[in-house]
Amino acid sequence: MGRSGVRGERTRTDGLGEPAVHAGESVQDERLHEDISAGDGRDLPDRTPRAGRHGGGRPKRRRHRILRWTAGVLAVLVVGTAGAGYLYYRHLNGNIKKDRLNLGEKKVAEPTPNEAGQTPLNILLIGSDSRNTKENLKLGGHKESVGAPPLADVQMLLHVSADRSNMSVISMPRDTMLKIPKCTDPDGKVYPSPGALEMTNESLGRGGPGCTVATWQELTGIHIDHFMKIEFSGVVSMADAIGGVPVCVKQNVYSHNSDGAGSGLKLKKGTTSIKGEDALKWLRTRYGFEDGTDLGRTHAQHMYMNSMVRELRENATLTNPNQLRKLAEQATRSLTVDEGIASVSELYDLAKQLQKVPTKRITMTTMPTAQWPQNINRVIPKAGDAEQLFTMVRDDEPLDGKASKKKPDLTSEDPAAADDAIAVIVRNGTAVDGQAPTSRRATGVVTALQGKGFAQAKVDPQNQPEEKTVITYPSADLEGDAQAVAKAVGLPLTSVKKSTESSGVTLVVGADWRSGDTYPKSAATNDGKPPASSRPLNGDDTDACMDIQQGYTW
């Protein structure tokens, strides 16, 4: 496993290790607003009911339930809880900043609805290391960082299944080297693609969160519905509102070395409930956890998030409404979202969707990585394993191994033309991860197709690197034709995708099919679980505990 701990010239020491967080509520039920106590948390006397309501004020039990809901709201969009409370205040809408969802040029098709008409929900959670406010600089970093473009030091894709039965999270280490696409910000400024590989956290400074979204979509082929970006101060606010999150270390740990590097986290062996700045330190810690790389930090973030879910759903209470109002103000000021969820009402509706997933069906994973050949401190997506993880999420397969035994029928209702009437172009996509393309690969597949009766199969000299073989088609009237080609070469129908960028049925031979006339069966199947290299962690795992790096104990 490659190390990913040392940053490049523009990278700041110990950037935000916080996944995301949020606070979001609705103004659609103003009656609840009146049911919340104002002051020190004690119940108010009964009030005269409004017209249309039955008798007296709300009972005490109702108010207490609202307070419990409120605590859940403050972390809802990271951990899948929901609630209601003081975030109903209309002026909080004005605190929430918004930005464009996708600044790239490439569009990724939305997933096909299931038999019940439901579609998955994909949210990109971004932790920004920006020090461009006094509050954020006070919590960490250097004055030299003020005014510099922010870095997306935490990136997590949260996938909620179409039936809302399970949730998957994929984290990407910040030191991952990727091709960042061309991005155009809302004011029209163009950020050309660098061409060479760049650290993924640089994407945020290229026009905003929408460029990070574009980068994820081009890498994974997963359509992203929303993004949420949180800054340092918001992390502390959320941790305070929660009242403490239990975390575990296997030895005493102090994240600090002789050079002054480290988050400053200092904990005793065993389980400790952390909040405020200690929570931020936990989420930022790299030096001291596991091998001292960003991969260890990501694993610690997953433990924190799972613990937060359990704490909120089982024990969350709040007794100080005035403090909650203040926290809600701070939280919404630190939040930036896309235009589709830019109000507390829309955030609340989103929260209700996340609330449906039980903790035992939440699975946290890290994108499998390999060492980048040009720098031992950087990583790249691991061929095969990374694409397997992306494919499972794209196909809405749960990562906990509990997929329904009933497989959906993906056969198109559009009848296919005769094989010899189907025009299909074939591209060589085997040149991935810096490898040279397999010689004459497209020609070999075309010859095989022509031998099966597809007389109009032709080679497209354009190379299009793809880890996994895919067939695309531009419109519904060609779906049947595309599926006929897939069946002819043994490719699963899940690999047939609609794409407006295709001019016709296009077969891109990926790195998973370097030889042979038919697609290898081993590449077409998995055991229903994500690769072990993604380090899956279940939301109900209460035994998770961080290993401590040698030299960082006390």
Side-chain angles (χ1 to χ4, degrees):
M1 179 178 295
R3 292 177 62 87
S4 57
V6 181
R7 300 191 181 208
E9 294 180 359
R10 295 185 54 211
T11 310
R12 302 171 196 131
T13 302
D14 267 315
L16 175 60
E18 152 60 11
V21 186
H22 145 61
E25 275 1 86
S26 167
V27 292
Q28 59 194 5
D29 188 354
E30 296 184 9
R31 291 176 299 173
L32 289 181
H33 175 87
E34 295 191 359
D35 291 328
I36 298 171
S37 304
D40 61 3
R42 295 172 294 184
D43 290 332
L44 293 177
D46 289 347
R47 296 184 287 274
T48 303
R50 296 190 301 178
R53 292 176 65 179
H54 298 287
R58 294 281 187 184
K60 181 185 296 186
R61 183 172 59 185
R62 170 63 167 164
R63 296 191 188 112
H64 286 177
R65 186 164 69 249
I66 291 171
L67 293 178
R68 287 198 299 272
W69 285 352
T70 299
V73 164
L74 295 175
V76 61
L77 294 177
V78 176
V79 299
T81 59
Y86 295 102
L87 302 185
Y88 287 108
Y89 288 109
R90 292 181 182 275
H91 70 273
L92 292 182
N93 280 333
N95 290 345
I96 301 173
K97 296 178 285 295
K98 61 183 178 181
D99 214 328
R100 189 176 299 172
L101 176 61
N102 183 7
L103 300 183
E105 296 179 323
K106 185 176 180 179
K107 306 299 180 184
V108 175
E110 296 184 20
T112 302
N114 62 15
E115 293 179 357
Q118 303 165 305
T119 54
L121 181 63
N122 296 307
I123 306 168
L124 186 62
L125 309 175
I126 302 170
S128 167
D129 79 336
S130 172
R131 272 84 169 188
N132 292 337
T133 67
K134 292 181 179 179
E135 293 85 355
N136 287 334
L137 183 59
K138 181 179 172 182
L139 293 171
H142 304 283
K143 291 182 179 179
E144 291 80 4
S145 300
V146 175
L151 297 169
D153 272 356
V154 175
Q155 300 175 38
M156 295 186 180
L157 180 65
L158 188 156
H159 170 86
V160 187
S161 65
D163 62 6
R164 305 303 186 253
S165 68
N166 65 88
M167 181 187 300
S168 305
V169 176
I170 302 176
S171 289
M172 184 186 297
R174 69 174 185 194
D175 294 337
T176 303
M177 304 299 293
L178 296 176
K179 289 184 179 179
I180 299 177
K182 172 184 174 182
C183 293
T184 304
D185 72 17
D187 296 326
K189 181 177 180 180
V190 176
Y191 296 82
S193 174
L197 301 186
E198 298 282 345
M199 280 178 60
T200 182
N201 65 355
E202 298 278 354
S203 60
L204 183 59
R206 298 172 59 79
C211 193
T212 306
V213 169
T215 302
W216 269 80
Q217 289 198 151
E218 293 208 11
L219 172 68
T220 67
I222 298 170
H223 176 81
I224 295 176
D225 301 284
H226 302 292
F227 75 79
M228 310 191 71
K229 179 174 76 74
I230 192 75
E231 297 178 357
F232 276 173
S233 57
V235 177
V236 174
S237 299
M238 298 302 95
D240 286 343
I242 293 164
V245 174
V247 295
C248 177
V249 291
K250 293 183 178 180
Q251 294 176 278
N252 294 351
V253 61
Y254 183 32
S255 178
H256 182 79
N257 63 22
S258 58
D259 296 328
S263 69
L265 178 72
K266 191 172 185 179
L267 294 176
K268 291 183 178 180
K269 175 183 177 180
T271 300
T272 305
S273 183
I274 59 174
K275 62 181 179 178
E277 292 188 35
D278 283 338
L280 179 61
K281 289 176 181 178
W282 175 277
L283 295 165
R284 291 176 58 203
T285 295
R286 178 175 77 235
Y287 301 117
F289 282 165
E290 298 185 345
D291 60 356
T293 72
D294 202 39
L295 301 175
R297 167 159 50 192
T298 298
H299 197 211
Q301 292 168 0
H302 293 168
M303 289 184 186
Y304 179 92
M305 291 172 66
N306 281 341
S307 182
M308 184 188 294
V309 174
R310 296 191 298 268
E311 190 70 12
L312 287 167
R313 293 190 174 183
E314 296 174 7
N315 307 311
T317 58
L318 190 66
T319 59
N320 190 330
N322 284 329
Q323 180 188 28
L324 179 55
R325 290 193 189 95
K326 184 182 298 184
L327 293 171
E329 288 279 358
Q330 294 171 351
T332 50
R333 283 201 301 266
S334 67
L335 188 68
T336 302
V337 299
D338 65 274
E339 295 169 332
I341 51 172
S343 74
V344 289
S345 177
E346 289 162 326
L347 290 170
Y348 175 62
D349 289 341
L350 181 59
K352 289 191 295 185
Q353 298 297 312
L354 301 178
Q355 183 188 25
K356 298 176 181 179
V357 181
T359 55
K360 65 182 179 181
R361 297 299 311 278
I362 297 174
T363 306
M364 303 278 180
T365 64
T366 301
M367 181 190 74
T369 59
Q371 182 178 304
W372 188 39
Q374 298 184 31
N375 187 331
I376 63 171
N377 298 311
R378 299 288 181 264
V379 296
I380 56 177
K382 185 177 181 180
D385 284 8
E387 181 55 33
Q388 179 186 339
L389 188 63
F390 299 153
T391 298
M392 292 184 73
V393 171
R394 260 197 321 265
D395 295 343
D396 201 23
E397 292 185 48
L399 300 185
D400 58 5
K402 297 179 181 178
S404 171
K405 296 185 182 300
K406 180 182 178 182
K407 297 295 183 180
D409 183 7
L410 300 178
T411 304
S412 174
E413 296 180 359
D414 168 57
D419 291 349
D420 61 0
I422 296 177
V424 53
I425 61 173
V426 181
R427 292 175 182 163
N428 189 341
T430 57
V432 299
D433 295 340
Q435 300 182 57
T438 300
S439 178
R440 297 179 59 80
R441 189 69 193 106
T443 300
V445 174
V446 164
T447 300
L449 282 170
Q450 290 176 344
K452 295 176 182 291
F454 291 85
Q456 295 192 46
K458 296 180 181 179
V459 172
D460 184 339
Q462 175 184 345
N463 286 332
Q464 182 181 327
E466 294 283 354
E467 287 196 358
K468 293 203 71 173
T469 301
V470 64
I471 295 179
T472 58
Y473 62 94
S475 55
D477 62 320
L478 291 177
E479 182 180 25
D481 293 358
Q483 289 191 353
V485 174
K487 292 175 181 177
V489 297
L491 194 67
L493 295 187
T494 53
S495 298
V496 179
K497 309 289 183 183
K498 182 178 179 180
S499 172
T500 55
E501 295 186 356
S502 295
S503 57
V505 177
T506 304
L507 168 57
V508 183
V509 185
D512 59 344
W513 186 18
R514 293 184 177 275
S515 63
D517 292 345
T518 57
Y519 189 69
K521 290 183 178 180
S522 59
T525 60
N526 61 57
D527 60 1
K529 295 182 180 180
S533 57
S534 67
R535 303 188 68 180
L537 182 65
N538 184 267
D540 264 2
D541 186 354
T542 58
D543 296 326
C545 199
M546 283 302 296
D547 288 315
I548 303 307
Q549 185 181 8
Q550 186 176 359
Y552 288 86
T553 58
W554 57 278

